[in-house]
Amino acid sequence: MAGKDVHDDYPLKDYKYHCCSDLLEGKVAFVSGGGSGIGFRIAELLMRHGCNVAIGSRRIDKLEQSAKDLSKATGRQCLPVQIDVRKYDTVLKAMKQTLNAFGSIDILINSAAGNFLCPVSSMSSNAFKTVLEIDTMGTFNCCKAAFDTYMKDHGGCIINISATLYFKGDAYQAHAGSAKAAIDALTRHLAVEWGPLNIRINSVLPGPIEGTEGFRKLGGAVEGAEEFLESSIPLGRCGTRTEIAEACLFLASPLSSYVNGSLLVVDGGAWLTSGFANFSSKL
Ligand code: NAP
Ligand code: COA
């Protein structure tokens, strides 16, 4: 099990290396949603293993602070870039900025997403569309821009952060579940189309991850949630951001050189037994 996690968007105080710290030496990564939460920790571990990283999202002040903290903790360069993943031109511009600064984009992590609990009976058409646009269109836009600007000629590695919500049809998550199902379909389609160009595409599907916005949005802070999760998740606890980042480290590295088109569930076995949003929807 990983060491103690840090819940705020601040680098770990100490990190026990499981892989050599030069595992990704000289590589460049682009992390959408890398200024906070799971994306922040993914950016940190990629940097700790040799990458320079661009982190992109809407809030530039938040990105600038995170980039400073990440560079200070890891000794690597971190470029904050303002993007709205729904708008292809902002993503394309940010990819070009990254190429100008670092010379390549070898790894793309799609972690940007939006979510809230909402029954379909009171969900507007625009609410459903908004989440589909951020999650699914956003993932497509980043994949396409990375492909057009760099990967089509040089190969690369793409990791889409998805979720297990649609496996069992979790309550109040029709928008996010549909969006993530489409992302996982995209993972498989791209793996087939782009595999011959030496681009590997995989999904990582986290379970409930403590101390994150996604966890809070699904009711993680409400009374009874912790006890429910401890008793229903086979490993008896929520996951940490570091555990998700380490799964991404594996998929971004030569350790997984023959893994393409896979959906890697990192949830302690949670989806087999719990359905956290089903619990939250009954509160
Ligand atoms: P988070 O910190 O809120 O991360 C989401 C990121 O997306 C934020 O940095 C946000 O930054 C960015 N973002 C949102 N809309 C955007 C847009 N239109 N354009 C560009 N960036 C945008 O939440 P998290 O919990 O760490 O979630 C990270 C990923 O893990 C998501 O894909 C989520 O679905 C997945 N996940 C999380 C959990 C969990 O328990 N936390 C479980 C399963 C899956 P700005 O506001 O600055 O744009
Ligand atoms: N319940 C029901 N509908 C909601 C909602 C909620 N909690 N929050 C937003 N909506 C609806 C809005 O009412 C609007 O629909 P309408 O025009 O028919 O009224 C639509 O969703 C878009 O909302 P808006 O606030 O304009 O979208 P935005 O683009 O500014 O923000 C969100 C996107 C709503 C997803 C916002 O929560 C966000 O930016 N999230 C990013 C962080 C996050 O969710 N992290 C967790 C990742 S898993």
Side-chain angles (χ1 to χ4, degrees):
M1 179 179 158
K4 198 169 163 30
D5 209 27
V6 175
H7 284 184
D8 297 327
D9 295 324
Y10 200 73
L12 295 165
K13 290 194 175 67
D14 58 281
Y15 177 71
K16 179 180 171 354
Y17 281 85
H18 304 286
C19 299
C20 339
S21 57
D22 64 355
L23 184 68
L24 298 173
E25 190 65 45
K27 300 285 186 195
V28 175
F30 187 104
V31 185
S32 81
S36 71
I38 290 171
F40 177 95
R41 184 73 71 239
I42 295 171
E44 176 183 347
L45 289 213
L46 294 178
M47 292 170 78
R48 284 187 185 277
H49 290 82
C51 282
N52 289 327
V53 172
I55 53 174
S57 76
R58 296 164 300 175
R59 290 169 296 161
I60 192 65
D61 50 341
K62 172 74 177 157
L63 289 167
E64 281 169 355
Q65 185 58 52
S66 294
K68 256 188 224 155
D69 293 339
L70 287 168
S71 291
K72 192 171 161 210
T74 66
R76 301 287 169 176
Q77 294 181 64
C78 187
L79 178 72
V81 285
Q82 191 167 34
I83 55 171
D84 184 334
V85 291
R86 292 170 283 197
K87 297 178 182 150
Y88 182 76
D89 55 336
T90 70
V91 176
L92 187 65
K93 185 174 164 209
M95 298 269 176
K96 287 180 179 166
Q97 277 175 268
T98 307
L99 286 168
N100 281 339
F102 300 141
S104 66
I105 299 175
D106 308 289
I107 299 160
L108 166 65
I109 312 282
N110 287 302
S111 187
N115 200 4
F116 43 82
L117 277 176
C118 185
V120 176
S121 53
S122 50
M123 189 184 300
S124 71
S125 171
N126 191 41
F128 187 84
K129 181 173 138 194
T130 298
V131 171
L132 268 285
E133 281 186 347
I134 300 171
D135 293 21
T136 311
M137 284 308 302
T139 297
F140 175 84
N141 286 338
C142 291
C143 290
K144 187 67 167 65
F147 180 84
D148 286 343
T149 55
Y150 189 79
M151 288 186 183
K152 69 173 192 278
D153 297 320
H154 303 89
C157 169
I158 298 176
I159 299 167
N160 296 325
I161 307 302
S162 176
T164 61
L165 303 163
Y166 67 92
F167 284 12
K168 294 207 285 196
D170 282 10
Y172 297 2
Q173 287 290 277
H175 47 336
S178 301
K180 297 299 194 184
I183 288 174
D184 290 341
L186 183 65
T187 291
R188 289 178 165 149
H189 288 289
L190 294 183
V192 171
E193 283 197 26
W194 293 353
L197 299 173
N198 198 26
I199 306 173
R200 293 188 298 112
I201 301 95
N202 294 288
S203 287
V204 166
L205 291 70
I209 303 304
E210 61 186 21
T212 61
E213 187 63 17
F215 185 60
R216 279 187 287 277
K217 289 220 166 177
L218 287 186
V222 300
E223 207 183 321
E226 209 167 304
E227 293 73 21
F228 169 79
L229 288 167
E230 278 169 14
S231 64
S232 65
I233 297 175
L235 288 187
R237 63 178 178 84
C238 292
T240 67
R241 298 188 295 172
T242 305
E243 287 172 316
I244 301 305
E246 284 175 337
C248 292
L249 188 64
F250 164 72
L251 287 174
S253 79
L255 289 167
S256 61
S257 54
Y258 203 53
V259 183
N260 186 30
S262 289
L263 312 185
L264 177 56
V265 177
V266 187
D267 75 340
W271 83 268
L272 296 165
T273 56
S274 80
F276 182 39
N278 293 334
F279 164 79
S280 305
S281 71
K282 294 197 173 58
L283 296 172

